[in-house]
């Protein structure tokens, strides 16, 4: 609804008898509910009968919301009304205007007029604060800028920026990284207080890991995953993996058991880590932005290989030292040696032995054999483990010697009982023979006589041989 210029209307309002005019300033964040205060402190005397809310657009006064003396309300009908003056609050002399989801376009001057015996008019300057990025969705490595806009503008404010809750002075990002993503808040301080407007920056690229400082630890013989997860916008078939030395950055071949995945999760897996697989691994791919721009994004991560080294004397009978060795121990703060014992039903008992990098055993015995674990720690806790199976040769020899002694003892006892059996068996045979002879006396005489004759013949044979040798004439048959 077009009326006369605001200055004319306001001048007329001041002419009325008892008229009052006040001006206020309201700051509100973009997208929130703006409350434009209009309290009639003289309502007990004025007995208001009509309320008018208008807005100055250019030099024209336009109606936002009004209520006539008859109780009839007027609102815009073209768009869903966002401005409302709650009638139940009228009983409290509160005629404030509520604007839902305030936008930059809502900023400006508003006039509240309350008619009664005393005509009251208030002018409210609504300033809407909006935080934004241009562009709001950006690919890693490209440029974006944060803007804090106050509408209508004013010089009597102080602005600060916060990124994820922490103050920052950086608003122009020339090389966007994944860490820059998240909520950014523009904080506007004015005479009446502070208002904050928040916006979100979305960064397309590799979400895991977020930077090039990632370190992955793995023990020799184990499997390990190297993470590389892209956001949406990855151009297919552009993902590549390569490996370089940690010192000279010269190219190295990928391990034999290296396997990479396809799709947004381009993480790789080394099925079996070998000694010498350490180094810098780089994952890269091409990303496409909303406006068609593309850029290559990449992440470097270091693989640290851990293993247990054993050292002993040349003879093998002296002390044994186990050392926890890592290809890069710069982030290791402490070590711990653990002994793992296995019980029934695959239960495990883990016992801490000592907290040193090297574990020295003065004299190996059977109790030392088994599984030992070297656990290494960083600033934020456990980083990994390296397992070593300790085989004690002395224990094996002791077991074999004990087994040999048992075998010899068993064999000795076997021969002893066999000899006793033979003696007893012979005694039994003699006993049986004597018993048979007693049962048959005639047989005893025959056996005795046969034995006597046999003995006599054996004695006479040497004499006959001597006789034949001394007399060559007779013929001996």
């Amino acid at each position: 609804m077009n009326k006369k210029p605001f200055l004319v209307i306001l001048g007329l309002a001041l002419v009325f008898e008892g008229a009052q005019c006040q001006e206020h300033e309201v700051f509100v964040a973009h997208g929130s509910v703006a409350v434009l205060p209009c309290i009639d402190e003289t309502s007990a005397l004025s007995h208001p009968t009509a309320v008018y809310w208008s807005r100055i657009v250019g030099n024209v006064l336009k109606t936002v919301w009004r209520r006539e003396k008859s109780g009839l309300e007027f609102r815009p009908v073209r768009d869903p009304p966002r401005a409302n003056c709650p009638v139940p609050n009228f009983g409290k002399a509160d005629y404030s205007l509520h604007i839902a989801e305030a936008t930059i376009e809502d900023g400006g001057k508003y006039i509240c007029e309350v008619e009664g015996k005393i005509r009251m008019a208030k002018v409210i300057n609504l300033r809407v604060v909006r935080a934004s990025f241009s562009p709001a969705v950006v690919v890693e490595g490209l440029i974006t800028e944060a803007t804090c806009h106050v509408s209508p503008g004013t010089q009597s404010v102080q602005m600060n920026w916060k990124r994820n809750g922490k103050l920052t002075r950086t608003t122009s990002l020339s090389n966007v990284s994944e860490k820059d993503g998240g909520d950014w808040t523009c904080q506007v301080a004015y005479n009446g207080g502070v208002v904050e407007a928040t916006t979100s920056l979305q960064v397309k690229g590799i979400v895991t890991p977020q930077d090039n400082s990632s370190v992955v630890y793995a023990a020799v013989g184990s499997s390990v995953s190297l993470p590389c997860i892209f956001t949406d916008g990855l151009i297919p078939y552009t993902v590549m993996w390569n490996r370089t030395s940690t010192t000279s950055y010269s190219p190295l071949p990928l391990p034999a058991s290296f396997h990479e995945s396809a799709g947004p999760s381009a993480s790789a897996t080394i099925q079996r880590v070998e000694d010498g697989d350490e180094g810098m691994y780089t994952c890269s791919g091409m990303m496409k932005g909303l406006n068609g721009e593309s850029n290559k994004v990449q992440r470097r991560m270091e693989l640290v290989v851990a293993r247990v080294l054993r050292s002993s004397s040349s003879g093998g009978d002296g002390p044994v030292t186990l050392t926890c060795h890592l290809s890069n121990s710069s982030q290791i703060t402490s070590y711990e040696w653990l002994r793992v014992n296995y019980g029934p039903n695959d239960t495990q008992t883990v016992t801490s032995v000592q907290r040193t990098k090297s574990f020295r055993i003065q004299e190996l015995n059977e109790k030392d054999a088994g599984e030992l674990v070297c656990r290494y720690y960083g600033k934020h806790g456990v980083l990994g483990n390296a397992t070593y199976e300790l085989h004690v040769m002395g224990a094996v020899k002791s077991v074999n010697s004990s087994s040999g002694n048992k075998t010899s003892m068993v064999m000795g006892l076997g021969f002893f009982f066999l000899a006793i059996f033979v003696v007893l068996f012979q005694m039994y045979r003699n006993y049986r023979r004597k018993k048979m002879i007693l049962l048959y006396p005639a047989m005893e005489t025959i056996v005795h006589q046969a034995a006597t004759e046999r003995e006599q013949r054996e004695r006479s044979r040497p004499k006959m041989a001597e006789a034949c040798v001394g007399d060559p004439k007779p013929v001996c048959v």
Side-chain angles (χ1 to χ4, degrees):
M1 172 182 175
N2 295 334
K3 295 183 178 180
K4 296 179 180 180
F6 167 69
L7 295 177
V8 177
I9 297 297
L10 187 57
L12 292 176
L14 292 174
V15 175
F16 287 116
E17 183 180 357
Q20 297 180 356
C21 181
Q22 303 175 10
E23 185 169 343
H24 298 276
E25 196 168 51
V26 174
F27 283 79
V28 66
H30 181 274
S32 61
V33 177
V35 179
L36 280 59
C38 185
I39 308 296
D40 185 7
E41 295 83 0
T42 64
S43 59
L45 300 175
S46 62
H47 301 286
T49 55
V51 178
Y52 302 94
W53 272 100
S54 306
R55 179 187 177 189
I56 301 174
V57 181
N59 291 325
V60 180
L61 197 64
K62 293 187 176 181
T63 299
V64 177
W65 186 94
R66 71 178 183 179
R67 179 185 173 89
E68 299 288 351
K69 296 180 181 180
S70 61
L72 189 64
E73 295 182 12
F74 292 85
R75 303 177 184 177
V77 295
R78 290 178 299 175
D79 300 317
R82 293 186 296 110
N84 181 39
C85 193
V87 175
N89 293 341
F90 286 8
K92 304 175 185 178
D94 184 358
Y95 308 100
S96 301
L97 181 69
H98 296 244
I99 303 177
E101 299 179 359
T103 65
I104 287 293
E105 291 76 15
D106 293 331
K109 284 192 176 183
Y110 291 77
I111 301 174
C112 171
E113 298 177 82
V114 180
E115 289 186 355
K117 291 183 178 180
I118 300 176
R119 185 180 182 90
M120 182 193 72
K122 292 187 177 182
V123 179
I124 296 95
N125 288 325
L126 175 62
R127 302 189 188 278
V128 181
V129 181
R130 182 179 67 180
S132 62
F133 273 96
S134 180
V137 180
V138 61
V139 177
E140 283 185 35
L142 299 183
I143 301 173
T144 187
E145 186 174 1
T147 304
C148 190
H149 182 59
V150 179
S151 175
T154 178
Q155 300 295 328
S156 60
V157 295
Q158 183 179 0
M159 296 183 183
N160 292 307
W161 278 94
K162 293 191 296 184
R163 180 172 66 88
N164 295 329
K166 297 181 180 180
L167 288 174
T168 180
R169 295 183 179 181
T170 303
T171 58
S172 180
L173 306 176
S174 59
N175 187 13
V176 178
S177 67
E178 194 67 34
K179 287 186 175 181
D180 295 326
D183 292 334
W184 289 66
T185 301
C186 173
Q187 188 179 67
V188 177
Y190 58 98
N191 293 333
V194 177
V195 64
E196 293 183 345
T198 301
T199 186
S200 179
L201 175 63
Q202 182 181 351
V203 180
K204 288 193 172 187
I206 300 175
V207 65
T208 304
Q210 288 192 343
D211 53 33
N212 293 323
S213 63
S214 179
V215 180
V216 180
Y217 294 86
V220 171
S222 65
S223 63
V224 65
S225 175
L226 302 177
C228 186
I229 301 176
F230 289 81
T231 61
D232 61 308
L234 174 66
I235 301 177
Y237 310 110
T238 61
V239 177
M240 294 183 61
W241 278 91
N242 59 73
R243 175 186 172 216
T244 58
S245 172
T246 55
T247 54
S248 61
Y249 293 100
S250 57
L252 296 173
L254 294 171
S257 60
F258 185 89
H259 176 72
E260 61 181 275
S261 305
S265 179
S267 301
T269 303
I270 302 177
Q271 300 293 340
R272 180 179 175 83
V273 176
E274 302 292 345
D275 187 23
D277 288 344
E278 65 272 4
M280 297 295 297
Y281 289 77
T282 303
C283 169
S284 62
M286 295 294 296
M287 295 293 299
K288 188 175 183 180
L290 294 180
N291 298 326
E293 72 279 8
S294 61
N295 193 40
K296 181 181 179 180
V297 296
Q298 64 179 22
R299 287 291 184 277
R300 288 196 308 270
M301 63 203 78
E302 181 180 2
L303 174 62
V304 175
V305 177
R307 60 192 178 108
V308 176
L309 301 178
R310 174 173 175 166
S311 60
S312 59
S313 60
S314 58
D317 298 331
V320 173
T321 302
L322 301 179
T323 303
C324 197
H325 174 76
L326 287 87
S327 58
N328 184 356
S329 59
S330 59
Q331 298 187 21
I332 308 301
T333 58
S334 62
Y335 299 84
E336 183 181 13
W337 284 93
L338 306 171
R339 185 180 298 280
V340 181
N341 296 318
Y342 293 90
N345 299 326
D346 294 332
T347 57
Q348 293 184 357
T349 303
V350 181
T351 307
S352 178
V353 179
Q354 65 183 38
R355 302 184 70 90
T356 57
K357 181 177 181 179
S358 298
F359 176 43
R360 183 180 177 85
I361 304 174
Q362 289 296 127
E363 185 177 353
L364 289 176
N365 53 49
E366 299 176 19
K367 295 181 180 180
D368 295 323
E371 183 177 321
L372 291 171
V373 176
C374 172
R375 179 169 293 172
Y376 41 95
Y377 298 83
K379 292 181 180 180
H380 304 291
V382 178
L383 294 178
N385 301 311
T387 303
Y388 184 81
E389 193 72 26
L390 182 60
H391 300 284
V392 182
M393 299 304 296
V396 176
K397 291 180 180 179
S398 176
V399 172
N400 292 339
S401 177
S402 176
S403 177
N405 292 337
K406 291 181 181 179
T407 304
S408 300
M409 183 176 65
V410 172
M411 293 181 64
L413 290 175
F415 282 115
F416 175 73
F417 285 115
L418 180 61
I420 292 177
F421 174 76
V422 171
V423 172
L424 293 176
F425 182 71
Q426 187 63 33
M427 292 175 63
Y428 176 75
R429 289 182 61 187
N430 294 339
Y431 169 76
R432 289 287 297 174
R433 185 173 61 184
K434 289 181 178 180
K435 188 175 181 181
M436 293 295 294
I437 291 173
L438 292 175
L439 291 175
Y440 303 98
M443 182 178 294
E444 182 181 0
T445 303
I446 295 172
V447 171
H448 181 69
Q449 184 177 357
T452 302
E453 292 178 353
R454 184 169 60 254
E455 183 178 355
Q456 289 179 356
R457 283 199 301 272
E458 290 178 356
R459 290 178 180 178
S460 61
R461 282 181 182 175
K463 294 181 179 181
M464 292 178 64
E466 292 177 359
C468 293
V469 170
D471 190 3
K473 295 179 181 181
V475 177
C476 295
V477 180

